Amino acid sequence: MAARYRIGQDPDYVPLGRRLLLMNWTLVLLLAILSCIGFAMLYSAANGSLQPWAERQMMRFAAGMVLMILIALTDVRVWLRMSYAAYVISLILLVGVEIKGDIGMGAQRWINLGFFQLQPSELMKISLVLALARYFHGLTIEETGRIPLLIPPLLMVLAPAALVLRQPDLGTALLLVAGGGVIFWLSGVRMWKFAIILGGALAAIPIGWQFLRDYQKNRVLTFLNPENDPLGAGYHITQSKIALGSGGLFGKGFMLGSQSHLNFLPEKQTDFIFTMLGEEFGLVGGIALLLLYTLVIVYGYVIALRCANQFGRLVAIGVTTTFFLYVFINIAMVMGLIPVVGVPLPLVSYGGTVMMTILVSFGLLMSISIHRDVRISRQGNDDGRH
């Protein structure tokens, strides 16, 4: 049947009332709890004031929640049709950053909209997942084994990663590549192809090292030996370890952390906010936060497994994996397990674009959950019965 169904005749159409009932309100609650922990830590970081971080973050969260619910209630087939357009717009914005972007903390990553500082690299994390999911949704397992058909999605990953790396933002570039790699793997791309790419990447490390900025080289060298320059390049991670260790089992108490409140801990409201939480609430507080993140991640993968269509599965896995990488990289970074790469802790760190991006991505995840039984043909047609 080539003709599309009208809304009232579409057998996969989900009425608005049922969409609200199918909304994963437990997941919404978990996201709200994580955000409230972030508000509390930002309040503490400002020494007991809602300004300049907590109040702004609350306003962004409120707007983001409304947007998340609107996205969740929208038919997942709408997002499939918009996938490539979203990717192209995000790529154009990344080029715009390269041409005329605002510089902050030595990096050119933002576009000033007057009322909001937009970071296009964050938007690209969602757009890339959508575009790759749509591309692989249209391929059979046999087609994913053909190398010529893998060149377009490979370019879709490498183009934004290269632009982001020029800003420079190594952390986000790694997230784009890693998130894209997961979608490639789950789409059926054979492991030997990953091995070839990984081998080529390892062989190119000496060449790539020459193109790194001095501060990026220092971060790698500091990771290998942070005590070599404790007051210079190693200052961030040294203070982070001191703060985490001083928190002990139960912490020093809310707003009583010495490293953060005496300004020994840098970037306490963004990249190192987990360190401040560990100092104030100790190992118990840190584990409690990790358990909340684990619940959110498990919910995401369960939604992916229950989805009946390939596009929804890949988007759900891509969104959840990106969220996991945010958490893993940030916490491993502040503990000194990996070099400092500037990745925020999702929903807890201060940052408008990151907050909105995370909530939009979970809106997509919940849209997939609500419309999990919708069948979509490989051509992307609405009824999936051709």
Side-chain angles (χ1 to χ4, degrees), residues 175-214:
L175 277 173
L176 290 172
V177 173
V182 168
I183 293 179
F184 270 72
W185 178 56
L186 292 171
S187 298
V189 177
R190 299 295 180 87
M191 288 301 296
W192 66 266
K193 293 171 183 172
F194 285 98
I196 291 175
I197 294 174
L198 181 61
L202 292 174
I205 286 177
I207 299 173
W209 179 262
Q210 306 301 319
F211 291 94
L212 291 179
R213 305 288 180 92
D214 288 340

Side-chain angles (χ1 to χ4, degrees), residues 209 214-238 241 336-340:
W209 179 262
D214 288 340
Y215 83 91
Q216 291 171 329
K217 293 180 180 179
N218 286 336
R219 284 179 174 179
V220 176
L221 296 174
T222 299
F223 163 69
L224 297 174
N225 186 14
E227 288 76 24
N228 188 46
D229 187 12
L231 297 179
Y235 181 80
H236 287 63
I237 194 61
T238 300
K241 289 180 178 179
L337 300 177
I338 61 174
V340 176

Side-chain angles (χ1 to χ4, degrees), residues 12 32 52 97 99 106 119 125 129 139 199 201 245 256 265 289 293 315 335 360 362 382:
D12 284 328
V97 169
I99 297 171
Q119 192 172 355
K125 291 174 186 174
V129 167
L139 299 183
L256 297 177
L265 185 65
L289 182 64
Y293 278 126
V315 171
M335 294 175 67
V360 166
F362 275 97
D382 290 351

Side-chain angles (χ1 to χ4, degrees), residues 61-201:
F61 173 74
M65 285 294 283
V66 172
L67 186 58
M68 181 184 78
I69 291 172
L70 290 175
I71 290 171
L73 296 176
T74 303
D75 194 311
V76 69
R77 292 168 289 188
V78 172
W79 306 123
L80 180 141
R81 289 194 292 269
M82 293 177 60
S83 297
Y84 289 147
Y87 176 84
V88 170
I89 291 170
S90 297
L91 193 64
I92 291 171
L93 288 172
L94 280 177
V95 174
V97 169
E98 184 71 20
I99 297 171
K100 191 178 181 181
D102 276 15
I103 297 175
M105 300 183 66
Q108 188 170 330
R109 302 175 186 172
W110 295 270
I111 294 176
N112 190 352
L113 300 179
F115 63 95
F116 190 72
Q117 287 279 93
L118 179 66
Q119 192 172 355
S121 58
E122 293 296 328
L123 301 180
M124 179 53 76
K125 291 174 186 174
I126 303 176
S127 302
L128 181 61
V129 167
L130 286 170
L132 289 176
R134 177 168 183 180
Y135 183 85
F136 283 111
H137 173 81
L139 299 183
T140 63
I141 291 295
E142 293 76 18
E143 287 173 330
T144 57
R146 300 177 187 172
I147 292 179
L149 291 176
L150 296 179
I151 293 175
L154 188 61
L155 292 176
M156 287 165 62
V157 174
L158 294 179
L163 288 170
V164 169
L165 199 57
R166 279 184 56 83
Q167 293 179 1
D169 188 350
L170 180 61
T172 299
L174 290 174
L175 277 173
L176 290 172
V177 173
V182 168
I183 293 179
F184 270 72
W185 178 56
L186 292 171
S187 298
V189 177
R190 299 295 180 87
M191 288 301 296
W192 66 266
K193 293 171 183 172
F194 285 98
I196 291 175
I197 294 174
L198 181 61

Side-chain angles (χ1 to χ4, degrees), residues 5-27:
Y5 293 100
R6 291 193 296 271
I7 287 178
Q9 299 173 323
D10 186 348
D12 284 328
Y13 174 71
V14 182
L16 179 59
R18 181 152 178 77
R19 293 184 208 183
L20 289 170
L21 288 174
L22 290 173
M23 176 83 75
N24 197 322
W25 294 108
T26 304
L27 183 55

